[in-house]
């Protein structure tokens, strides 16, 4: 007797359902995929760009600090550098009688209209107190000029006119008969002048520095032309 063949044929859908799912296998894989080389390159490039930006920022900060320091030094060396103003005899002319003795009877009695100059080269104004200019012949005082207190603007020059009386009274007989007589004979009377005007330099009304305008000048009176010349100041 022949065996009965089973009518039940295998169901392909059932077979497919029981086959392993590759996506499920990948999802359940214990080892995730490592980052690709492209991702590593992008990360390294990004870090390199950030580093370059940081270096640029640091360089800009350093350059700005150096620039600021240079500006401050320039300001201190040029604008904040305070020096003593200059005080000088600028010119002189004789008024009224011009009384000069002779070699045998030497003497002089003169009135000189003198113009002084106060020069301030600072970037702040200069205020000075009263002062007295002393004129001398051979080291012996022969006249004084009173300088009243005043003010000179920043980087400017001020002119001051004062009448000075120059007299040989009080000379010793030796100087009068010998040196003065010889100078009168030569037609030239040498004189010197000196003073120290004390004051202060004011910078922007904040900085005040004590300074003085000092003068040491030599000059000559030409007796024949009745002029003051050869003025040399230090």
């Amino acid at each position: 007797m022949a065996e009965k063949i089973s009518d039940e044929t295998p169901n392909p859908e059932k077979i497919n359902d029981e086959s392993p799912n590759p996506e499920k296998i990948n999802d359940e894989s214990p080892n995730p995929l490592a980052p690709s080389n492209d991702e590593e390159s992008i990360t390294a490039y990004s870090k390199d760009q950030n580093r370059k930006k940081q270096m640029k920022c640091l360089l800009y900060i350093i350059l700005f600090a150096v620039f600021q320091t240079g500006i401050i030094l320039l300001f201190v060396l040029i604008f904040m550098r305070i020096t003593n103003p200059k005080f000088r005899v600028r010119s002189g002319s004789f008024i009224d009688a011009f009384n000069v003795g002779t070699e045998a009877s030497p003497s002089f009695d003169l009135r000189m209209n003198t113009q002084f100059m106060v020069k301030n080269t600072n970037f702040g104004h200069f205020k000075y107190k009263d002062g007295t200019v002393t004129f001398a012949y051979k080291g012996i005082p022969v006249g004084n000029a009173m300088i009243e207190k005043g003010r000179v603007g920043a980087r400017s020059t001020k002119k001051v006119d004062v009448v000075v009386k120059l007299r040989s009274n009080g000379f010793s007989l030796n100087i009068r008969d010998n040196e003065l007589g010889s100078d009168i004979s030569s037609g030239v009377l040498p004189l010197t002048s000196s003073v120290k005007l004390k004051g202060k330099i004011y910078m922007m009304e904040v900085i005040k520095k004590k300074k003085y305008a000092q003068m040491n000048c030599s000059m000559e009176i030409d007796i024949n032309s009745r002029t003051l010349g050869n003025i040399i100041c230090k």
Side-chain angles (χ1 to χ4, degrees):
M1 184 175 180
E3 295 181 358
K4 187 178 180 179
I5 300 174
S6 175
D7 293 335
E8 296 181 0
T9 59
N11 190 347
E13 293 181 358
K14 186 176 181 180
I15 295 173
N16 292 336
D17 290 341
E18 294 177 356
S19 62
N21 189 347
E23 295 180 356
K24 187 175 181 180
I25 294 174
N26 291 337
D27 292 340
E28 295 177 354
S29 176
N31 297 322
L33 293 176
S36 64
N37 293 334
D38 292 340
E39 293 178 351
E40 291 180 354
S41 299
I42 293 172
T43 303
Y45 178 78
S46 178
K47 289 182 178 179
D48 185 61
Q49 291 298 314
N50 290 335
R51 191 182 305 109
K52 288 182 178 180
K53 289 181 180 179
Q54 291 176 356
M55 293 298 294
K56 285 183 179 180
C57 291
L58 181 60
L59 179 61
Y60 291 151
I61 292 172
I62 293 174
L63 291 176
F64 181 76
V66 172
F67 177 75
Q68 288 290 93
T69 303
I71 292 296
I72 293 172
L73 289 176
L74 184 66
F75 182 78
V76 171
L77 293 176
I78 297 179
F79 297 97
M80 299 297 291
R81 185 170 176 262
I82 300 176
T83 59
N84 287 322
K86 297 179 180 180
F87 189 56
R88 301 286 186 263
V89 174
R90 189 171 183 272
S91 63
S93 58
F94 297 94
I95 55 179
D96 302 333
F98 187 87
N99 300 317
V100 178
T102 63
E103 182 179 3
S105 180
S107 66
F108 60 83
D109 187 352
L110 312 171
R111 280 169 55 87
M112 181 172 68
N113 186 14
T114 312
Q115 186 176 87
F116 299 96
M117 176 188 70
V118 186
K119 185 176 182 180
N120 178 27
T121 59
N122 298 290
F123 284 89
H125 63 269
F126 175 56
K127 287 184 179 180
Y128 56 89
K129 300 178 181 179
D130 295 338
T132 302
V133 180
T134 300
F135 286 85
Y137 170 82
K138 307 290 186 179
I140 302 173
V142 295
N144 296 318
M146 301 302 297
I147 307 297
E148 296 181 354
K149 64 181 180 180
R151 179 184 184 277
V152 187
R155 300 188 66 80
S156 61
T157 301
K158 181 180 180 179
K159 298 175 183 178
V160 181
D161 293 321
V162 180
V163 175
V164 185
K165 292 182 179 180
L166 303 173
R167 295 176 177 173
S168 60
N169 297 341
F171 281 10
S172 65
L173 292 176
N174 182 50
I175 293 178
R176 182 180 299 174
D177 294 341
N178 296 329
E179 298 185 47
L180 182 56
S182 177
D183 288 334
I184 290 176
S185 176
S186 67
V188 176
L189 288 176
L191 296 177
T192 59
S193 63
S194 60
V195 71
K196 180 185 284 189
L197 291 178
K198 296 181 180 180
K200 291 181 180 179
I201 299 292
Y202 293 80
M203 302 286 289
M204 299 177 291
E205 298 299 336
V206 176
I207 299 175
K208 301 177 184 179
K209 182 128 184 166
K210 290 183 179 180
K211 287 293 179 179
Y212 58 86
Q214 188 169 1
M215 176 181 67
N216 287 295
C217 297
S218 62
M219 62 207 76
E220 294 178 346
I221 298 175
D222 190 313
I223 298 174
N224 297 324
S225 62
R226 299 186 177 187
T227 58
L228 181 70
N230 198 22
I231 302 173
I232 301 174
C233 296
K234 297 179 180 179

